[in-house]
């Protein structure tokens, strides 16, 4: 009688991963969007808008500082205790921190303690994010049928555009308020809405069974005693290659969304509501394109598809900026969509591609450390670097486009290196099961 339940588990796990990461990304993007729109004004007041925005993005980066250590902690616990327990804990932490931000007093009320409390809650968000991604990817891919692991691993990746859509809807509604109301109380509403989403996400994740691959490893007594130290000792090269490979997928979104909001409102004087409307359409396009990318990768091979997507992404920022600088909504949508579709193609496929480089007993630790290392070094600094480049080269978009191309080039190098690593390991018979089953798809 239990057989039908188990046959439904892959779909249920993928759906739960998608919905859970949607909630998590909503929380994360809510902070990123508010950082670009309003947090500098209410937590770091001053006469210099550039300085306030930079300070706001610095608190955004603070959440990324905690992520590598968090990835190690949750990676250790996930490889020792199971994926499901960690996903419930990370969701609770993220939802609680986001709701708390919505309740914070401002600088005008309590002075310097306001930004201190903001940074503290932002770090808690980073801790939660550090453990969330790896667990969600593994719950989806490790429940998947053999030969479809990369495709199923793309479902939690779809939580990024879905969470961003919810964020944009929320901030589009509150930015329609007059400026005084938005600054006074309107900005809080998207953060407070996180509490409702938290309850929904927890209820969904409770209904998913533990990863069958983890359960088999536990039953066979093959769990690692110290997975973090072991994976760092035995798999450091694939960790570094995977971190590089995911660069444009992780950092590119914060360029085309978080930084772009600040860029067009500050330097092009485009209204906040206009850019949010444009990004809403772009994100719908992204949400629709990611499963198509995952399907195409399953047809032509993960490594081949990723290499192509990263290569094209190198050239997309130039038409993007040309179109954005027309200040016409349709052109803005077309330009940003061009960049987002290519970088999200990398993002959709990279999760499943990375998991094949690590054995089950070390997988949570390996992919978490790799992804969170990239998130700290590249994703967290992207809005800061973009803002400084925009200030240094006022009226010039080429340096910004070159920065985007550099992120894509780093990904391309990591993808090629990781593909070669997996090919060599597969020849010696010491690679994760899904890589063994599809050696040609990885090359």
């Amino acid at each position: 009688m239990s057989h039908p339940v188990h046959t439904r588990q892959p779909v249920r796990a993928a759906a739960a991963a998608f919905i859970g990461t949607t909630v998590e990304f909503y929380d994360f993007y809510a902070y990123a969007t508010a950082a670009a729109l309003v947090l500098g004004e209410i937590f770091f007041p001053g006469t210099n808008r550039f300085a306030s925005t930079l300070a706001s993005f610095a608190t955004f980066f603070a959440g990324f500082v905690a992520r590598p250590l968090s990835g190690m902690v949750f990676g250790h616990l996930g490889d020792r205790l199971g994926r499901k327990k960690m996903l419930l804990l990370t969701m609770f932490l993220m939802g609680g921190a986001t709701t708390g931000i919505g309740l914070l007093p401002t600088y005008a009320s309590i002075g310097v303690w306001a930004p201190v409390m903001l940074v503290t809650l932002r770090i808690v968000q980073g801790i939660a994010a550090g453990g969330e991604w790896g667990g969600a990817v593994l719950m989806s891919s490790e429940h998947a049928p053999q030969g479809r692991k990369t495709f199923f691993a793309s479902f939690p990746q779809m939580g990024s555009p879905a969470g961003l859509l919810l964020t944009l809807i929320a901030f589009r509604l509150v930015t329609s308020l007059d400026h005084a109301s938005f600054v006074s109380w309107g900005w809080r509403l998207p953060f407070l809405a996180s509490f409702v989403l938290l309850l929904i996400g927890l209820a969904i994740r409770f209904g998913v069974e533990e990863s069958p691959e983890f359960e088999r490893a536990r039953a066979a007594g093959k769990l690692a005693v110290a997975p973090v130290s072991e994976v760092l000792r035995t798999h450091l090269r694939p960790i570094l290659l995977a971190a590089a490979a995911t660069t444009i997928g992780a950092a590119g979104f914060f360029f085309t969304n978080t930084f772009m909001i600040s860029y067009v409102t500050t330097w092009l004087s485009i209204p906040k509501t206009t850019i949010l409307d444009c990004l809403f359409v772009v994100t719908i396009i992204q949400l629709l394109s990611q499963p198509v990318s995952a399907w195409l990768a399953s047809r032509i091979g993960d490594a081949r598809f990723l290499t192509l997507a990263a290569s094209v992404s190198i050239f997309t920022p130039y038409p993007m900026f040309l179109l954005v600088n027309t200040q016409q909504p349709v052109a803005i949508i077309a330009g940003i969509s061009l960049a987002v579709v290519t970088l999200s193609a990398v993002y959709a496929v990279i999760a499943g591609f990375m998991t094949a480089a690590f054995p089950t007993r070390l997988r949570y630790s390996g992919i978490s450390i790799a992804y969170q290392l990239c998130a700290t070094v590249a994703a967290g600094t992207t809005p800061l670097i973009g803002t400084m480049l925009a200030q240094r080269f006022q009226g010039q978009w080429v340096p910004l486009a070159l920065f985007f191309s550099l992120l894509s080039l780093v990904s391309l190098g990591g993808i090629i290196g990781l593909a070669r690593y997996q090919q060599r390991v597969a020849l010696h018979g010491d690679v994760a099961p899904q890589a063994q089953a599809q050696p040609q798809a990885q090359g």
Side-chain angles (χ1 to χ4, degrees):
M1 296 296 294
S2 62
H3 180 69
V5 175
H6 288 292
T7 57
R8 289 195 300 268
Q9 275 296 308
V11 175
R12 184 180 297 177
F18 166 65
I19 295 171
T21 52
T22 296
V23 175
E24 292 271 358
F25 275 109
Y26 169 83
D27 290 350
F28 212 71
Y29 282 131
Y31 190 97
T33 305
L37 291 175
V38 70
L39 294 185
E41 183 176 349
I42 60 178
F43 286 97
F44 306 94
T47 56
N48 189 324
R49 182 176 178 181
F50 164 70
S52 295
T53 301
L54 201 62
S56 179
F57 282 148
T59 65
F60 173 74
F61 174 65
F64 285 90
V65 173
R67 287 173 66 163
L69 179 59
S70 172
M72 292 183 184
V73 172
F74 281 101
H76 171 86
L77 295 174
D79 281 330
R80 291 289 302 163
L81 304 178
R83 285 65 161 123
K84 179 177 176 177
K85 293 184 180 70
M86 297 307 104
L87 288 178
L88 294 173
L89 178 56
T90 57
M91 177 161 283
F92 178 79
L93 288 174
M94 180 69 86
T98 305
T99 304
I101 291 172
L103 298 172
L104 281 179
T106 64
Y107 187 93
S109 300
I110 61 171
V112 70
W113 286 107
V116 169
M117 294 167 67
L118 178 68
V119 171
T120 300
L121 290 175
R122 175 62 185 154
I123 291 174
V124 175
Q125 276 194 326
I127 291 171
E132 160 69 22
W133 183 84
V137 167
L138 294 185
M139 280 293 279
S140 187
S141 66
E142 291 181 351
H143 273 94
Q146 196 68 26
R148 302 191 68 194
K149 292 184 178 295
T150 295
F151 180 75
F152 273 74
S154 72
F155 278 79
Q157 303 296 75
M158 290 167 59
S160 175
L164 181 55
L165 280 177
L166 293 179
T167 302
L168 292 171
I169 291 171
F171 277 92
R172 180 63 179 86
L173 292 173
V174 295
T175 53
S176 64
L177 298 168
D178 61 89
H179 183 71
S181 297
F182 175 61
V183 173
S184 176
W185 55 269
W187 69 271
R188 298 180 183 275
L189 299 181
F191 290 95
L192 297 176
S194 174
F195 184 73
V196 178
L197 297 176
L198 168 64
L199 298 179
I200 295 172
L202 287 174
I204 292 169
R205 283 191 167 173
F206 267 114
V208 181
E209 297 176 3
E210 180 57 87
S211 155
E213 291 188 26
F214 174 82
E215 292 285 28
R216 286 195 293 269
R218 177 160 57 186
K222 293 182 178 179
L223 298 182
V225 175
V228 171
S229 61
E230 184 176 341
V231 78
L232 288 173
R233 185 178 68 254
T234 62
H235 289 74
L236 181 59
R237 185 178 181 185
I239 286 175
L240 296 176
L241 289 171
T246 195
T247 297
I248 190 60
F253 291 127
F254 294 108
F255 188 103
T256 57
N257 293 289
T258 306
F259 166 71
M260 191 61 74
I261 293 174
S262 175
Y263 173 77
V264 301
T265 56
T266 301
W267 304 107
L268 302 181
S269 299
I270 293 175
K272 295 174 182 177
T273 53
T274 299
I275 185 59
L276 290 178
D277 287 345
C278 291
L279 288 176
F280 183 79
V281 177
V282 170
T283 307
I284 292 175
I285 295 171
Q286 178 193 342
L287 182 61
L288 296 174
S289 72
Q290 282 192 198
V292 175
S293 295
W295 179 81
L296 285 173
S298 70
R299 303 292 295 176
I300 70 173
D302 300 344
R304 188 177 295 112
F305 179 85
L306 286 167
T307 300
L308 177 62
S311 298
V312 173
S313 188
I314 294 172
F315 302 99
T316 56
Y318 306 95
M320 176 180 70
F321 275 104
L322 286 172
L323 290 167
V324 167
N325 277 273
T326 67
Q327 303 188 33
Q328 299 300 312
V330 174
I332 293 172
I333 291 169
I336 298 178
S337 294
L338 182 63
V340 165
V341 166
T342 53
L343 72 89
S344 66
V346 176
Y347 185 72
V349 179
I350 198 67
F353 186 61
M354 289 168 59
T355 62
F358 304 96
T360 302
R361 62 200 298 272
L362 304 175
R363 194 173 292 152
Y364 202 139
S365 298
I367 67 171
S368 293
I369 294 170
Y371 186 83
Q372 303 312 333
L373 175 63
C374 170
T376 301
V377 174
T381 59
T382 289
L384 278 170
I385 295 172
T387 301
M388 290 187 289
L389 287 173
Q391 175 71 13
R392 173 65 178 82
F393 301 98
Q394 295 186 30
Q396 302 177 51
W397 56 263
V398 173
L400 296 169
L402 289 171
F403 174 47
F404 188 98
S405 294
L406 177 62
L407 296 175
S408 301
L409 189 61
V410 171
S411 273
L412 179 60
I415 290 164
I416 293 172
L418 192 59
R420 290 176 177 173
Y421 169 83
Q422 291 187 21
Q423 284 180 324
R424 284 195 296 270
V425 175
L427 289 175
H428 292 84
D430 180 24
V431 73
Q434 59 264 46
Q436 288 182 349
Q438 305 177 54
Q440 293 182 350
Q442 305 301 332

